[in-house]
């Protein structure tokens, strides 16, 4: 068995047990190889629903999860866990280099936020830090886990604010794309990120939130 340098006391012998969620098979296989020498990967799942089941079944020492997944994204799983008093260390491994999303994840109770492009030694460092009781955010994001994220509007980029305002006026993605000189796909991507940041799940909720934030005055 490989030795490991983890300070956080585990309630079992052997390496720390990790449940990992990612719906990109190639990424998952690469991370699996990275972790196999030091950790016991007790479950590898591809969606939020299965992740919840795996956490309940395996009671891991740490959860490593993508943000975007089918059947409940990583943030929803994290919030559900924390809401029921489960404080299992939770680290996001994501391609989203968005400081606002990282801040939102930490505010929701995440212990770490690592970019996939930085995975490798940095991921191993992050896992060690989190298992030792610290928090870790990829430094290039400039997010301090101790700081409170700014108000919702400040978490949005100017472009996202403009997209949100136009969504609030009832325009469809194609119409917004024409107005802003973007592709419809880019507008959809902005909408998705806005929904993640504001914690809403539908266009109707998005319009209501735009009104609440005073963007439709």
């Amino acid at each position: 068995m490989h030795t490991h340098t983890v300070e956080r006391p585990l309630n079992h012998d052997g390496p720390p047990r990790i449940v990992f969620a990612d719906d990109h098979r190639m990424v998952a296989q690469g991370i699996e190889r990275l972790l196999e020498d030091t950790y016991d990967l007790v479950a590898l799942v591809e969606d939020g629903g299965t992740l919840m089941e795996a956490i309940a079944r395996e009671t891991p020492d740490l959860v490593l999860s993508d943000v975007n997944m089918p059947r409940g994204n990583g943030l929803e799983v994290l919030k559900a866990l924390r809401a029921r008093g489960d404080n299992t260390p939770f680290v996001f491994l994501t391609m989203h280099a968005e400081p606002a999303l990282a801040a939102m994840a930490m505010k929701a109770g995440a212990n770490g936020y690592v970019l996939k492009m930085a995975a490798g030694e940095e991921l191993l460092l992050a896992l060690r830090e989190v298992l030792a009781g610290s928090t870790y955010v990829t430094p290039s994001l400039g997010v301090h886990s101790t700081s409170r994220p700014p108000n919702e509007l400040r978490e949005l980029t100017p472009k996202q604010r403009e997209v949100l305002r136009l969504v609030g006026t009832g325009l469809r993605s194609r119409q917004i794309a024409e107005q802003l000189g973007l592709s419809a796909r880019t507008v959809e991507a902005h909408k998705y990120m806005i929904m993640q940041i504001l914690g809403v799940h539908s266009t109707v909720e998005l319009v209501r939130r735009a009104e609440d934030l005073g963007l439709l005055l």
Side-chain angles (χ1 to χ4, degrees), residues 4-178:
H4 54 92
T5 55
V6 174
E7 297 162 38
R8 186 173 176 271
L10 305 176
N11 58 7
H12 59 83
D13 295 326
R17 303 169 75 254
I18 291 181
V19 166
F20 177 38
D22 196 303
D23 62 330
H24 299 98
R25 187 167 296 278
M26 295 285 287
V27 173
Q29 288 172 345
I31 298 300
E32 195 173 5
R33 282 194 294 275
L34 179 70
L35 300 181
E36 64 188 3
D37 285 350
T38 315
Y39 299 97
D40 182 6
L41 197 57
V42 293
L44 177 57
V45 301
E46 297 184 357
D47 63 75
T50 314
L51 175 57
M52 287 295 284
E53 293 163 13
I55 294 168
R57 184 179 67 246
E58 301 291 349
T59 57
D61 300 303
L62 183 141
V63 177
L64 180 62
S65 175
D66 197 353
V67 176
N68 296 344
M69 292 183 297
R71 289 185 60 219
N73 66 43
L75 268 173
E76 289 168 354
V77 172
L78 171 63
K79 288 175 181 175
L81 282 177
R82 297 298 184 249
R84 69 184 192 201
D86 186 329
N87 291 315
T88 302
F90 202 109
V91 176
F92 283 109
L93 180 63
T94 176
M95 58 200 280
H96 290 298
E98 296 259 352
L101 188 56
M104 185 178 166
M106 303 308 283
K107 182 182 178 184
N111 305 88
Y113 192 98
V114 183
L115 297 182
K116 284 182 178 176
M117 66 182 82
E121 284 305 310
E122 186 179 349
L123 176 59
L124 293 175
L125 169 63
L127 296 181
R128 282 197 301 272
E129 292 272 323
V130 168
L131 283 166
S134 301
T135 55
Y136 185 94
V137 177
T138 292
S140 61
L141 289 171
V143 174
H144 303 291
S145 58
T146 52
S147 67
R148 302 296 290 174
N151 68 43
E152 291 173 312
L153 256 188
R154 261 185 272 146
E155 289 185 32
L156 301 177
T157 66
K159 185 69 73 181
Q160 287 170 341
R161 266 179 254 175
E162 188 63 13
V163 169
L164 178 57
R165 187 181 67 77
L166 293 171
V167 168
T169 64
L171 293 182
R172 296 185 179 279
S173 294
R174 195 156 26 90
Q175 296 167 307
I176 295 171
E178 287 169 9

Side-chain angles (χ1 to χ4, degrees), residues 186-206:
T186 299
V187 170
E188 283 295 329
H190 277 309
K191 263 179 71 176
Y192 183 74
M193 284 306 303
I194 295 165
M195 289 167 78
Q196 295 276 328
I197 292 168
L198 299 185
V200 299
H201 304 94
S202 69
T203 303
V204 173
E205 288 181 75
L206 207 52

